[in-house]
Amino acid sequence: MATQPTSMNIIKQVLIRLSQKESIRSIASTLHISKNTVSRYKAISEADPMSVRELIALEDTVLNHRFNGGNPAYCDDRMEVLKELLPELEKELKKPHVTSRLLWEEYRRKHPDGYGLSQFRFHISQHIKAVTPSTLLRDLYQPGQKMLIDFAGDRMSYVDTDTGEEVFVETYVAVMPFSGMTFILCVRSQGIEQFLTATVKALEFFGGVPKILVPDNLKSAVKRADPYEPDLTTGMNDLANHYLCVAQPARVRKPKDKALVEDAVNKAYRHIYAPLRNHVFHSLEELNDAVAELVDRYNQKRLTGCDYSRRECFLASEKTMLAPLPKAPFEFKRRASLKVAPNSFITFGPKRNSYSVPYRLIGQQVDVTFTATQVRIYHSGECVATHMRSYRHNDYTYVEEHLPPKSREYRAYSAGYFIAKAERISSDFRTIIEALFAGGQPEQVYFRTAQGFFSLQRNSAPSLFRQACAIAVSHGNLRYKFVQALVKSQCEGFRENADELAPPSGHSNIRGKAAFV
């Protein structure tokens, strides 16, 4: 930094003490300044045609200019040399790969007693600001006029309880710039549905609609960026029309257009990201609950140098300036025409999510209308199914009544289901099914074999099937193929007397449990 000018009060004290014949050493010691500074002020005052009283009566700005030339950094002989070089240095700095350090090194080779790097950079910066002043006045925000929107660069995450996978999410930030009132929400992506849903929730959070929505130039809001007439997405236009406001994206590479929301993002890192850094969340809802609590605390915190908080300022000065919310919130809708698959599901979306349709419509075309939260399925103008939107990969969302009877029955299968069903036929059949599911593998492995037994039972005479089961149990051979062979042969070779169904002992060709007794 350049040398800061001495306080005008100190200059006046020096002049007063000099007029009272106080020594330079004493003045320097009392006022805690150097003797050289006192000597310089003495020389200037003696050379000035005005008296000490007249000098002291001057305004501070005028007195500063008479003693320091406006700023002591510019009273240096080195400054006169650098002034002549500044226009050329400015041009050089615009060239590719040229840095201020490189220019400074070249400057010092020609002027060994010149400025150091920090002051060299300072004077170049001041020169550039002077010759290229901003054409914009300071943005004095009006209450309720704008809502600034942006996404944070860093992401937070939660752990999916079903898969154990860490799921990263985007952080949506909206700010009312007059009060600084801030809304933050974690969403699954920056896609248009998630973006518009978050914007709707932001407007509900603020309890009203500003005149202008100022999003960043993300693809969900802007189709084609332009500093004067950007092309908005259909969804962004529809949302603005629904809330009777205007969408006016920030200009590309003009961060000052949304400086406060950029600042809010940085503060979100400190006030939300940092406190939650060691927390593990197991759903997006759980994460957003924690974020909402910290955002509320942030909005209620007193502003530095003020006796009020963001929320107090918003309620007092900004809330009443917002337009009222419409009766129904905005919903971004997409539509598709799909064919119902043989399993009575339709599938769509990048994550290939499937939703059930009544099985009577298998093979027919249905119209699908879906939002960020809901899926509605229509046939012949009638809504035949409504589901909550799923965002898991290859997920199936269904209603039991939509599935074909056989499909519903299969979903109800279990070992207990088959055993109870066999009990109603005969105790021997129950024994066979119990032995089947006692094989040590997951029960789903045996469903198909169990279905085979019941198919055989349905296609056989009841008495014959019961006799075959009794023979199988008595011989200790409970396999499906053995029972099937008995049924096909009409149990030929086996006597029907139950007492004589036991296998002959001592025979070398005995199979089943009896062979190992």
Side-chain angles (χ1 to χ4, degrees):
M1 279 292 294
T3 307
Q4 295 297 317
T6 306
S7 167
M8 293 302 99
N9 181 57
I10 290 182
I11 293 177
K12 292 177 180 180
Q13 285 293 313
V14 169
L15 295 177
I16 292 171
R17 291 172 185 273
L18 286 172
S19 67
Q20 295 174 351
K21 307 301 181 182
E22 190 173 337
S23 69
I24 291 176
R25 182 186 297 275
S26 174
I27 295 172
S29 175
T30 303
L31 299 178
H32 305 289
I33 58 177
S34 72
K35 292 184 291 181
N36 290 339
T37 301
V38 177
S39 298
R40 186 166 69 85
Y41 288 156
K42 180 180 180 181
I44 294 173
S45 65
E46 290 174 349
D48 198 293
M50 298 181 71
S51 66
V52 170
R53 184 175 295 277
E54 290 173 330
L55 289 171
I56 292 174
L58 293 173
E59 290 288 341
D60 286 356
T61 304
V62 179
L63 183 63
N64 179 43
H65 184 76
R66 293 180 81 91
F67 275 74
N68 294 321
N71 189 319
Y74 295 91
C75 300
D76 197 319
D77 291 339
R78 296 176 297 178
M79 189 64 214
E80 297 302 320
V81 175
L82 185 59
K83 277 183 180 180
E84 298 179 2
L85 300 175
L86 285 174
E88 187 61 29
L89 291 172
E90 180 195 355
K91 293 179 183 178
E92 291 296 313
L93 198 56
K94 292 179 181 178
K95 295 180 179 179
H97 315 304
V98 177
T99 64
S100 57
R101 174 176 282 276
L102 174 64
L103 295 177
W104 173 74
E105 291 172 352
E106 295 173 351
Y107 160 75
R108 285 299 293 265
R109 281 197 291 269
K110 294 180 181 179
H111 306 280
D113 297 328
Y115 286 113
L117 178 60
S118 61
Q119 286 205 1
F120 177 82
R121 283 174 169 166
F122 172 78
H123 291 307
I124 288 183
S125 174
Q126 292 296 100
H127 171 76
I128 292 173
K129 288 178 181 178
V131 297
T132 56
S134 173
T135 58
L136 297 176
L137 295 175
R138 182 176 179 272
D139 197 352
L140 300 176
Y141 294 106
Q142 298 177 10
Q145 185 183 42
K146 293 182 178 180
M147 184 176 86
L148 309 182
I149 302 168
D150 200 2
F151 278 98
D154 295 343
R155 299 188 296 170
M156 289 193 281
S157 65
Y158 67 92
V159 176
D160 190 308
T161 53
D162 294 333
T163 64
E165 175 188 5
E166 184 178 13
V167 181
F168 287 92
V169 295
E170 304 288 344
T171 303
Y172 173 98
V173 181
V175 177
M176 299 299 295
F178 179 83
S179 61
M181 184 76 165
T182 302
F183 169 79
I184 297 177
L185 180 73
C186 293
V187 294
R188 300 182 189 279
S189 71
Q190 292 190 25
I192 188 167
E193 294 176 57
Q194 298 291 312
F195 167 72
L196 295 178
T197 299
T199 302
V200 170
K201 290 184 178 180
L203 295 172
E204 292 173 350
F205 174 81
F206 294 125
V209 183
K211 295 178 181 178
I212 304 173
L213 303 178
V214 185
D216 197 6
N217 280 270
L218 65 157
K219 292 182 179 179
S220 295
V222 182
K223 286 194 295 188
R224 184 182 64 85
D226 185 275
Y228 305 107
E229 292 186 355
D231 287 340
L232 302 178
T233 60
T234 302
M236 189 75 240
N237 273 324
D238 289 347
L239 183 142
N241 292 337
H242 182 84
Y243 288 102
L244 301 179
C245 62
V246 175
Q248 191 177 74
R251 293 174 298 170
V252 178
R253 299 184 186 89
K254 297 292 182 181
K256 290 184 180 179
D257 283 10
K258 52 183 180 64
L260 282 185
V261 74
E262 296 278 0
D263 181 60
V265 168
N266 290 329
K267 288 177 179 175
Y269 293 148
R270 297 196 299 272
H271 295 279
I272 295 174
Y273 280 57
L276 298 180
R277 66 190 184 280
N278 295 324
H279 292 251
V280 178
F281 302 98
H282 296 95
S283 70
L284 181 60
E285 292 72 22
E286 185 181 339
L287 172 60
N288 273 324
D289 288 342
V291 169
E293 182 179 346
L294 292 177
V295 169
D296 186 60
R297 192 182 306 170
Y298 169 75
N299 284 325
Q300 294 191 45
K301 186 178 180 181
R302 292 292 171 91
L303 292 165
T304 304
C306 301
D307 59 353
Y308 56 84
S309 66
R310 293 174 178 83
R311 182 178 295 279
E312 290 169 337
C313 180
F314 173 77
L315 294 175
S317 305
E318 200 158 23
K319 177 70 180 293
T320 56
M321 304 302 292
L322 299 176
L325 292 167
K327 293 182 179 180
F330 172 79
E331 274 193 314
F332 176 62
K333 298 178 181 178
R334 288 184 173 179
R335 295 173 177 82
S337 179
L338 302 172
K339 187 176 182 179
V340 182
N343 63 353
S344 79
F345 281 83
I346 56 165
T347 302
F348 65 89
K351 295 189 177 181
R352 306 300 296 164
N353 300 123
S354 299
Y355 302 89
S356 66
V357 181
Y359 67 90
R360 61 184 172 82
L361 298 176
I362 288 175
Q364 298 189 42
Q365 289 290 129
V366 292
D367 296 316
V368 184
T369 299
F370 55 98
T371 66
T373 58
Q374 200 172 59
V375 177
R376 294 188 182 94
I377 304 169
Y378 295 84
H379 181 259
S380 299
E382 178 187 356
C383 183
V384 295
T386 301
H387 301 282
M388 295 302 295
R389 183 81 180 271
S390 173
Y391 288 92
R392 294 179 179 175
H393 284 282
N394 300 312
D395 191 29
Y396 280 81
T397 304
Y398 63 91
V399 176
E400 285 287 350
E401 290 73 18
H402 290 173
L403 306 181
K406 290 184 178 180
S407 177
R408 293 203 299 273
E409 184 180 350
Y410 184 82
R411 296 188 67 81
Y413 284 172
S414 67
Y417 167 81
F418 284 110
I419 291 170
K421 191 174 180 180
E423 173 69 26
R424 294 195 292 270
I425 297 170
S426 76
S427 59
D428 292 317
F429 190 23
R430 174 192 172 101
T431 301
I432 292 173
I433 298 300
E434 284 180 336
L436 172 67
F437 283 100
Q441 297 293 325
E443 62 180 26
Q444 291 83 357
V445 173
Y446 305 110
F447 285 173
R448 183 170 294 181
T449 304
Q451 286 177 305
F453 273 113
F454 282 97
S455 176
L456 184 63
Q457 180 265 329
R458 287 192 299 272
N459 296 317
S460 305
S463 59
L464 175 62
F465 182 78
R466 286 195 294 271
Q467 183 182 9
C469 289
I471 294 171
V473 170
S474 66
H475 282 69
N477 189 342
L478 309 181
R479 293 181 306 132
Y480 168 78
K481 288 186 176 180
F482 182 68
V483 177
Q484 183 187 44
L486 289 172
V487 171
K488 284 184 176 181
S489 66
Q490 302 287 315
C491 297
E492 185 178 350
F494 295 92
R495 285 167 292 183
E496 296 186 9
N497 189 333
D499 295 333
E500 298 178 0
L501 287 176
S505 59
H507 196 286
S508 60
N509 196 27
I510 295 298
R511 302 176 65 186
K513 285 184 179 179
F516 302 99
V517 176

